[in-house]
Amino acid sequence: MDRRSTKRHSGRSHMKGIVLAAALGVVMGGMSGPASAQMSDGKIKIGVLSDLTGVYSDINGEGSATAARLAAEEFGNAINGTPVEIVVADHQNKADVAASIARKWIDAEQVDVIADVPNSAAALAVQDITRERKRIFLMSGPGAVDLTGKACSPYGFMWTWDTHSVSATTARALVAKGDKSWFFVTADYAFGHSLEDEASKTVKALGGTVKGGVRVPLATSDFSSFLVQAQGSGAKVVALANAGGDTINSVKQANEFGLPQGGQTLAGLLLNINDIHALTLPVAQGLIMSNSFYWDMNDETRAWSRKFEAKTGRKPSMNQAGVYSAVRHYLQAVKDVGTDDADKVAEKMRATPVNDMMMKNAAIGRNGRVFGNMYLFEVKKPAESKGAWDYLRLVETVPGKDAYIPEAQSGCPLVR
């Protein structure tokens, strides 16, 4: 072989070596290193979409954002080296505003998961968008059963409660003690309608009767005309199928009109600890309420609630605790599967029971329903309270499997 042939052979061998080394580098690079290589956009972005200024701002709002941040802090604000970012927006209790923010977050701002979303109409709009865009949706604020029923999503998870669990638990307790005739004062949108419907079904199934009801616009300040109708109905129970500021206003005005003094029972179908704090015990005492969380349940709930209170100046609502629990479960799933791919994360979330300060070994159904316990409470009398936020006495623990509609009966097309 002459010198020129040797050089050509040597050059070809050298180039083959470079190509082979580069190929091996690509393969090894894909196999090695932390799972952060599997994270989209170099970050995990969580959007807390809430009511920051309206009737649900006290039980959700900035407190929900704080709860999400507490969950992220437990992971050092990063998963396998990928930073976790929390962004917050106000949907103003308008479905169109919620939908617009959700689209912008996903399409332009690379948000991976949307959390909270009080107001069922807003949540139903966001559910459609996250289903279409394949983004995880962690619901802690809304309650309409359709969200895990006919409008369910493979990416949607309903964490804290729903209109069936809170209303049926409360209705069973009141009917059992003889309060069998009901009249409804109902928030006039998807959430209120669902709350009334679920309570009515339970009352009638147990032999009670519904004497009537009125529909009230969201964020109503004057309930007088509606409460006069409730008073005139002669119903033993005046059921308030509303929440937040609407519940506070309707309970206060019902007391001013003398409904409890006249022998009628006020039933708040969705009450939170924040509502009792605003009402004060002299007004709220004796109310029956169903919640999935209370800050004073055990050492774990008290310890976490102290962290929350240190940042907010108040104890958490069940909705705010639910945001923490949902975001924490999501982040753990991302860490376990090593990617923020929505299909893989959703599969891991459903396969893993929820275990944290809020719930233990709670299963997640194929329809996205988290089957945590519900708790029936009675609001304490002023003399029974040891101080601020010591408001509730536990009456009954209702296991998740009994508190919620079974997934096979939910109407969710994902359940076959």
Side-chain angles (χ1 to χ4, degrees), residues 51-100:
D51 172 9
L52 301 181
T53 55
V55 292
Y56 304 137
S57 59
D58 196 28
I59 56 177
N60 291 83
E62 289 291 349
S64 291
T66 296
R69 294 186 188 105
L70 285 172
E73 286 172 11
E74 289 192 14
F75 294 84
N77 293 308
I79 302 294
N80 298 330
T82 300
V84 176
E85 181 182 349
I86 308 289
V87 295
V88 185
D90 186 355
H91 63 38
Q92 304 171 39
N93 285 306
K94 297 176 181 178
D96 59 336
V97 173
S100 177

Side-chain angles (χ1 to χ4, degrees), residues 71-148:
E73 286 172 11
E74 289 192 14
F75 294 84
N77 293 308
I79 302 294
N80 298 330
T82 300
V84 176
E85 181 182 349
I86 308 289
V87 295
V88 185
D90 186 355
H91 63 38
Q92 304 171 39
N93 285 306
K94 297 176 181 178
D96 59 336
V97 173
S100 177
I101 293 170
R103 289 192 191 96
K104 179 183 177 184
W105 271 355
I106 294 170
D107 296 343
E109 300 180 18
Q110 293 79 50
V111 166
D112 300 294
V113 54
I114 295 176
D116 198 19
V117 194
N119 187 304
S120 293
L124 286 163
V126 174
Q127 179 96 303
D128 286 342
I129 293 165
T130 52
R131 183 194 301 110
E132 176 189 325
R133 305 294 208 280
K134 295 187 177 182
R135 291 293 191 275
I136 300 293
F137 185 20
L138 306 173
M139 293 168 274
S140 186
V145 292
D146 281 353
L147 288 160
T148 52

Side-chain angles (χ1 to χ4, degrees), residues 4 7 33 51 58 67-68 79 93 114 123-124 149 156 175 177 212 231 246 263 277 290 307 316 323 326 362 373 384:
R4 285 174 297 178
K7 285 183 178 180
D51 172 9
D58 196 28
I79 302 294
N93 285 306
I114 295 176
L124 286 163
V175 172
K177 73 173 213 171
Q231 196 170 36
D246 283 347
H277 187 73
S290 302
K307 293 179 183 178
V323 171
N373 292 343
E384 297 171 328

Side-chain angles (χ1 to χ4, degrees), residues 85-333:
E85 181 182 349
I86 308 289
V87 295
V88 185
D90 186 355
H91 63 38
Q92 304 171 39
N93 285 306
K94 297 176 181 178
D96 59 336
V97 173
S100 177
I101 293 170
R103 289 192 191 96
K104 179 183 177 184
W105 271 355
I106 294 170
D107 296 343
E109 300 180 18
Q110 293 79 50
V111 166
D112 300 294
V113 54
I114 295 176
D116 198 19
V117 194
N119 187 304
S120 293
L124 286 163
V126 174
Q127 179 96 303
D128 286 342
I129 293 165
T130 52
R131 183 194 301 110
E132 176 189 325
R133 305 294 208 280
K134 295 187 177 182
R135 291 293 191 275
I136 300 293
F137 185 20
L138 306 173
M139 293 168 274
S140 186
V145 292
D146 281 353
L147 288 160
T148 52
K150 63 183 181 181
C152 70
S153 163
Y155 308 103
F157 296 86
M158 202 163 180
W159 220 262
T160 309
W161 60 282
D162 63 20
T163 52
H164 175 82
S165 65
V166 292
S167 61
T169 300
T170 301
R172 279 195 298 266
L174 290 175
V175 172
K177 73 173 213 171
D179 294 349
K180 293 188 175 182
S181 61
W182 287 55
F183 184 94
F184 288 89
V185 178
T186 302
D188 194 13
Y189 75 104
F191 153 73
H193 302 168
S194 182
L195 201 59
E196 177 185 335
D197 185 51
E198 294 301 320
S200 296
K201 288 176 185 175
T202 302
V203 170
K204 292 174 183 177
L206 295 174
T209 59
V210 175
K211 288 200 167 186
V214 288
R215 298 286 171 86
V216 184
L218 182 66
T220 292
S221 59
D222 184 2
F223 282 81
S224 57
S225 63
F226 310 113
L227 292 170
V228 166
Q229 293 180 62
Q231 196 170 36
S233 72
K236 177 62 178 173
V237 178
V238 177
L240 306 173
N242 50 20
D246 283 347
T247 302
I248 292 169
N249 286 333
S250 52
V251 171
K252 283 181 177 178
Q253 292 173 37
N255 274 270
E256 292 168 2
F257 274 84
L259 272 67
Q261 297 88 333
Q264 289 180 298
T265 299
L266 291 180
L269 297 182
L270 181 61
L271 281 164
N272 271 274
I273 187 73
N274 313 62
D275 304 323
I276 307 306
H277 187 73
L279 286 166
T280 73
L281 289 183
V283 175
Q285 61 181 314
L287 282 171
I288 298 295
M289 57 188 282
S290 302
N291 265 217
S292 60
F293 175 84
Y294 177 47
W295 72 270
D296 201 21
M297 295 286 287
N298 53 55
D299 288 344
E300 275 190 278
T301 58
R302 286 187 284 271
W304 184 82
S305 297
R306 280 194 295 270
K307 293 179 183 178
F308 182 91
E309 188 174 16
K311 292 181 178 293
T312 64
R314 55 202 304 111
K315 298 298 185 186
S317 70
M318 67 170 172
N319 290 356
Q320 292 158 346
V323 171
Y324 160 82
S325 178
V327 171
R328 183 183 184 278
H329 193 73
Y330 165 79
L331 290 173
Q332 186 63 55

Side-chain angles (χ1 to χ4, degrees), residues 355-373:
N355 275 294
D356 54 33
M357 63 81 196
M358 185 178 187
M359 57 187 86
K360 301 298 180 188
N361 296 315
I364 302 179
R366 286 166 289 177
N367 61 346
R369 172 73 263 163
V370 179
F371 289 93
N373 292 343

